Amino acid sequence: MADLSMSSLAIGSDEVEDFICSSCKEQANADFYCKTCLKLYCWKCILLHDKWFKKHSAYGRHEMNKWPVSKQVEEFLLKCEANKDEKIEMLCDDHSQLCCTKCAFNNHSQCSKVTPINELTNTQPTDLQGLSVELETVLGEIKSLQISQEASVESLQKTYKEHRADMIEQMRGNVNTNLDTCGYNCVGTSGKIEQYLKDDMCRSVLSILNEFDNITLKELNKMKDEVISIKGSVTSFIHKCTSLHSDLLQLLEIVQKIGDNKELCLIASIKCKHIIQQALTLLGKSGKVFKVQGKSEHNARITSDSKTCWIPAVCALPDGQVLVADYNNNKVKLLNQQYQVVSHWDVNARPFDICLITPSEVAVAVNNGNIHEVQFITVNQGKLVSGRKFQLQHECRGIGHHQGDLFVTSGQELYKYTLSGKLICRLYEDRSLKYTVDKCAVSPTGDRLYITSGWLQHKLLTLARDGTLLATYTDPALEGPSGLHVTPAGQVLVCGYHSDTVQQLGWEGESKLATLATKEDGVWGPESVCYSSTTSSIIVGLLKDDTILVFRVE
């Protein structure tokens, strides 16, 4: 069903211009409704009505829920979204979609069940009171999310400004240190030597300034671009929140005033459910279960690979391209929309995980021996270009990102960093075993964090934004949870390395919604999983296998 657009619908408790007095020749606005007469009256005509019909009960504006539905509301509810001049008359069960006769003929002629609305009024439930409560709840959540997103933009800009100030202060410190050293060496020297030292001092200062221009300034500009990109994404998200909040609010007012017209109640109920589902998707709480429609296999090996591929991470870009980390060959590979390797980048250690920063940039968790770092890579015209990187004081096994916050796992801890590499805090730790905090993922709204505790504990943990444990999921059919991914709608995907499964969990992280693939589907030792909304596909990387599996879903 198309998104509901209600911005042109102005409905309020004091706006009754659509109700005209049934008796008045002056076409005055109605102020009362008599349910016995089934007529509307202005304040003048109601006096005559009450004189003649003393036993009738008339309802004023303060009881408008007992009035008939206004023409404005009725027209909105009955208007077909696809054909604006047509009225809704049917419901397609296959698509759960309201439609007019044109839609039914053109789009639903092959569907198994298309039923006239008037035949459903006694069989379909229309709990408008329950929907009203649900709408109010979702309204509150949307408003809270909007406030949270606005705060994220301010925090991101503040972080960038602080990092820029630190870099400039560091440059000043380097220059001042150099000047102090040269000044000290000049004391008591001859004029010729003093001139040589001054020239050397100038060369050193110029070298520091050139290094700042060539490296630090380039890094700052890159970070500025990241901030602009993330800010644009958040601003767009806030706009969606505002628009949907307005739609929900107006639909709530309709539900509260709709009266007892059974057909309109049913239509309003169906429209409510659709818009609530839109809101839940925006909130990252979609309960939609993926259905696998087909599978294909693709080779990720290239001629320079010396070993069989091992894919511990997959990351889908918004344009349909895919990045994979090849642990065995120390490479990050770029695959086009046909899943062919078109570019690669050699890593100085093992690439463990990848997360999206902007539509064209990712961060890679690199770890091996004494090397623990986050490396940024940009995709530019089908090529991989390495950018800045920063070192960590702990292992770097899993990585996730949300609006300027980087979440990094060490095997036993979950840390939060800024994009510049500044440690904010340690959010969670479990030192009972070696790899209790392995991979991590973030919900679309950033209010939930998911981590796998895989090799021995076989758990998926759900944390609040501050690291508080919210839920623990275990399942005998999910042994050795490894790959982990959260879709833009909040669907949680996790691989069972030992159990050879790919599962979908609820956004709460408490229950399994579906087993999407097993070893019968070719899933042997799954190490990574990712969903591409561009291609509607779930991509699975395997342990010591040159093949990646792509499951087409709906």
Side-chain angles (χ1 to χ4, degrees), residues 387-403:
R388 72 185 188 280
K389 60 184 177 182
F390 60 82
Q391 304 293 324
L392 305 177
Q393 300 301 311
H394 55 77
E395 286 195 40
C396 185
R397 299 184 62 85
I399 191 166
H401 170 255
H402 184 264
Q403 295 175 4

Side-chain angles (χ1 to χ4, degrees), residues 189-484:
T189 59
S190 64
K192 189 175 182 180
I193 296 175
E194 182 178 350
Q195 184 59 45
Y196 172 80
L197 290 172
K198 286 181 178 178
D199 291 343
D200 186 56
M201 176 182 67
C202 288
R203 285 192 294 271
S204 296
V205 171
L206 285 173
S207 175
I208 293 170
L209 294 176
N210 286 333
E211 182 179 358
F212 182 84
D213 284 343
N214 295 332
I215 300 175
T216 309
L217 196 58
K218 182 179 178 181
E219 175 186 326
L220 286 173
N221 286 334
K222 183 61 181 176
M223 285 194 66
K224 184 179 180 180
D225 291 341
E226 288 170 358
V227 171
I228 292 171
S229 177
I230 295 169
K231 181 183 176 182
S233 176
V234 176
T235 302
S236 174
F237 194 88
I238 290 172
H239 177 72
K240 290 178 183 178
C241 286
T242 304
S243 177
L244 192 54
H245 186 274
S246 175
D247 291 352
L248 285 164
L249 188 61
Q250 294 185 67
L251 193 55
L252 176 62
E253 292 187 33
I254 288 176
V255 169
Q256 291 174 341
K257 298 175 181 177
I258 203 167
D260 56 4
N261 184 310
K262 290 185 177 181
E263 288 188 22
L264 291 181
C265 284
L266 177 58
I267 292 171
S269 173
I270 294 169
K271 288 195 171 187
C272 274
K273 290 173 182 176
H274 276 280
I275 201 168
I276 286 172
Q277 188 56 53
Q278 292 174 30
L280 291 176
T281 299
L282 189 69
L283 289 165
K285 295 181 178 181
S286 173
K288 181 182 178 182
V289 177
F290 286 118
K291 294 180 181 179
V292 177
Q293 300 295 313
K295 186 195 81 170
S296 58
E297 300 181 4
H298 305 271
N299 198 312
R301 187 179 179 87
I302 58 177
T303 54
S304 60
D305 290 344
S306 59
K307 299 177 182 178
T308 304
C309 298
W310 178 345
I311 311 296
V314 180
C315 180
L317 301 180
D319 63 4
Q321 296 185 95
V322 176
L323 284 164
V324 299
D326 187 345
Y327 176 94
N328 257 5
N329 294 293
N330 284 23
K331 289 183 174 73
V332 173
K333 299 174 180 178
L334 176 65
L335 283 58
N336 61 18
Q337 291 190 12
Q338 290 73 45
Y339 304 102
Q340 300 166 328
V341 181
V342 293
S343 181
H344 73 275
W345 174 72
D346 293 314
V347 195
N348 62 345
R350 304 289 194 188
F352 272 73
D353 204 2
I354 306 174
C355 71
L356 198 66
I357 304 298
T358 72
S360 60
E361 184 186 39
V362 298
V364 183
V366 178
N367 195 76
N368 190 31
N370 295 323
I371 299 175
H372 317 301
E373 64 186 29
V374 173
Q375 171 73 59
F376 292 83
I377 302 177
T378 300
V379 180
N380 187 5
Q381 297 181 343
K383 299 292 182 182
L384 297 183
V385 181
S386 62
R388 72 185 188 280
K389 60 184 177 182
F390 60 82
Q391 304 293 324
L392 305 177
Q393 300 301 311
H394 55 77
E395 286 195 40
C396 185
R397 299 184 62 85
I399 191 166
H401 170 255
H402 184 264
Q403 295 175 4
D405 291 328
L406 277 177
F407 301 92
V408 182
T409 65
S410 68
Q412 293 181 317
E413 301 94 2
L414 174 67
Y415 295 93
K416 183 164 79 169
Y417 286 85
T418 67
L419 287 176
S420 63
K422 179 182 178 181
L423 176 62
I424 302 300
C425 64
R426 181 177 59 198
L427 287 167
Y428 180 82
E429 69 173 336
D430 181 353
R431 298 180 177 275
S432 61
L433 293 169
K434 189 170 184 181
Y435 295 120
T436 53
V437 184
D438 194 18
K439 292 292 180 69
C440 67
V442 195
S443 69
T445 56
D447 61 340
R448 293 177 305 282
L449 302 162
Y450 305 91
I451 57 176
T452 57
S453 182
W455 294 101
L456 294 172
Q457 293 188 330
H458 313 300
K459 295 178 181 177
L460 177 80
L461 307 179
T462 303
L463 312 177
R465 192 192 303 265
D466 62 359
T468 303
L469 181 63
L470 297 176
T472 301
Y473 175 78
T474 58
D475 181 0
L478 185 68
E479 294 184 16
S482 49
L484 177 63

Side-chain angles (χ1 to χ4, degrees), residues 57-256:
S57 297
Y59 302 104
R61 291 190 184 187
H62 63 287
E63 295 179 293
M64 285 187 69
N65 60 318
K66 298 177 181 178
W67 287 32
V69 178
S70 71
K71 290 180 181 178
Q72 192 179 25
V73 171
E74 183 176 355
E75 288 174 359
F76 167 75
L77 289 176
L78 290 176
K79 183 172 65 176
C80 176
E81 290 295 319
N83 300 291
K84 304 297 183 182
D85 295 330
E86 300 291 326
K87 288 186 178 181
I88 290 171
E89 295 184 22
M90 302 179 184
L91 173 68
C92 173
D93 275 1
D94 291 0
H95 298 94
S96 299
Q97 189 170 352
L98 295 164
C99 53
C100 64
T101 51
K102 283 186 179 179
C103 288
F105 181 78
N106 294 328
N107 305 324
H108 303 281
S109 58
Q110 302 300 316
C111 296
S112 60
K113 191 174 182 182
V114 180
T115 312
I117 292 293
N118 58 14
E119 293 181 14
L120 295 171
T121 53
N122 293 323
T123 58
Q124 292 276 355
T126 53
D127 179 17
L128 292 184
Q129 185 176 356
L131 283 171
S132 179
V133 172
E134 193 171 355
L135 282 167
E136 287 180 331
T137 301
V138 173
L139 269 167
E141 292 183 7
I142 289 286
K143 190 62 180 177
S144 296
L145 176 59
Q146 185 177 343
I147 293 170
S148 170
Q149 299 294 308
E150 290 168 349
S152 293
V153 172
E154 293 180 7
S155 175
L156 186 62
Q157 290 176 314
K158 181 182 177 183
T159 298
Y160 167 72
K161 289 177 181 178
E162 289 176 349
H163 182 64
R164 183 180 62 183
D166 289 343
M167 292 295 98
I168 293 173
E169 190 61 34
Q170 183 178 334
M171 180 201 68
R172 286 173 176 167
N174 291 339
V175 171
N176 289 335
T177 299
N178 184 273
L179 291 174
D180 290 343
T181 301
C182 290
Y184 176 78
N185 291 334
C186 283
V187 176
T189 59
S190 64
K192 189 175 182 180
I193 296 175
E194 182 178 350
Q195 184 59 45
Y196 172 80
L197 290 172
K198 286 181 178 178
D199 291 343
D200 186 56
M201 176 182 67
C202 288
R203 285 192 294 271
S204 296
V205 171
L206 285 173
S207 175
I208 293 170
L209 294 176
N210 286 333
E211 182 179 358
F212 182 84
D213 284 343
N214 295 332
I215 300 175
T216 309
L217 196 58
K218 182 179 178 181
E219 175 186 326
L220 286 173
N221 286 334
K222 183 61 181 176
M223 285 194 66
K224 184 179 180 180
D225 291 341
E226 288 170 358
V227 171
I228 292 171
S229 177
I230 295 169
K231 181 183 176 182
S233 176
V234 176
T235 302
S236 174
F237 194 88
I238 290 172
H239 177 72
K240 290 178 183 178
C241 286
T242 304
S243 177
L244 192 54
H245 186 274
S246 175
D247 291 352
L248 285 164
L249 188 61
Q250 294 185 67
L251 193 55
L252 176 62
E253 292 187 33
I254 288 176
V255 169
Q256 291 174 341

